[in-house]
Amino acid sequence: MERYIEELFPPDPDLRRVLEGIRERGMPEISVPTGYGRLLTLLVAMSGARQVLEIGALGGYSGICLARGLGPQGRLTSLELLPEYAELAAAQLEAAGFGGRTEYRVGDAGRSLEALKAEGRRFGFFFIDADKGGYPRYLDAAIELAEPGAVIVADNTLLRGRVADPARTGPSVLAMREFNRRLAEDPRLAGTLLPAYDGLAVMRVIG
């Protein structure tokens, strides 16, 4: 079924260029899948967000999908640990026509999030796709930085089924279980988990 979805839509030159750049540089080929990339564009557009924060840039695939949903005054801020990844992502966003509306902050995401908080920044949309052990911390930061009604989306929330296996107790699995539990139980959030691909969390900050 996932292959069917991937092949349903016509080739996208910008996104294909991103995937080729990732492969040429030997980077992990773990960009958000086609179906969820298109969903990101739709969700950003429907949210009306003017400020989007991405945690984990990789090669720019999700950044392009997010930027496509923004209006003409919208801006994407992306956090990336590795300089070479941020450099590629920035170049790909520039090539796709979004260079003047994107900002990259390189280094530890936790420190970057603290800096954004100190600056008084607020965002209407968040996309989390970084180190899985950091997801609960990133969720806390997103709630603190959220505008009223902000949307938070996170990829890989099923960890290829490992979150549902009681025998799996690694740090990333435990962190993701905590993240998913928070999605379900935190009174400030309303959301759900989409089970296709490797799982996508979609939630809204309500209080």
Side-chain angles (χ1 to χ4, degrees):
M1 188 60 68
E2 293 173 2
R3 182 176 179 181
Y4 169 76
I5 295 172
E6 294 294 310
E7 296 177 349
L8 179 64
F9 299 101
D12 187 305
D14 288 327
L15 299 179
R16 182 171 55 195
R17 187 184 62 250
V18 173
L19 296 178
E20 290 172 352
I22 289 172
R23 187 172 300 114
E24 289 169 359
R25 289 163 177 79
M27 295 164 58
E29 297 185 37
I30 53 173
S31 298
V32 65
T34 298
Y36 281 164
R38 295 178 68 89
L39 180 59
L40 287 177
T41 301
L42 288 171
L43 289 174
V44 172
M46 289 188 295
S47 75
R50 298 181 64 176
Q51 296 289 332
V52 172
L53 180 63
E54 175 185 43
I55 304 175
L58 191 59
Y61 191 106
S62 57
I64 289 175
C65 296
L66 294 164
R68 285 176 172 175
L70 286 167
Q73 304 302 316
R75 185 171 181 83
L76 169 68
T77 300
S78 184
L79 311 184
E80 174 54 52
L81 175 64
L82 300 177
E84 60 269 29
Y85 289 11
E87 181 180 357
L88 175 60
Q92 297 288 12
L93 268 290
E94 179 73 33
F98 301 111
R101 296 160 56 191
T102 58
E103 170 193 0
Y104 284 86
R105 299 199 177 196
V106 179
D108 177 75
R111 286 194 288 270
S112 294
L113 290 165
E114 285 297 321
L116 291 170
K117 181 180 176 181
E119 294 165 16
R121 297 282 300 276
R122 291 292 182 268
F123 299 88
F125 195 101
F126 301 81
F127 180 53
I128 303 171
D129 191 10
D131 59 293
K132 308 314 169 189
Y135 269 44
R137 179 168 50 118
Y138 300 149
L139 180 58
D140 287 335
I143 293 171
E144 290 184 358
L145 293 168
E147 297 174 347
V151 175
I152 303 172
V153 179
D155 195 21
N156 306 120
T157 51
L158 298 181
L159 294 180
R160 299 298 176 190
R162 297 198 301 276
V163 293
D165 183 352
R168 306 302 287 267
T169 58
S172 294
V173 173
L174 295 178
M176 195 63 74
R177 285 181 185 144
E178 172 63 16
F179 178 91
N180 292 338
R181 185 192 66 78
R182 291 273 308 282
L183 179 158
E185 299 179 4
D186 193 314
R188 298 170 295 177
L189 301 171
T192 191
L193 286 173
L194 304 182
Y197 298 105
D198 193 25
L200 192 78
V202 181
M203 64 198 92
R204 182 169 178 266
V205 180
I206 59 175

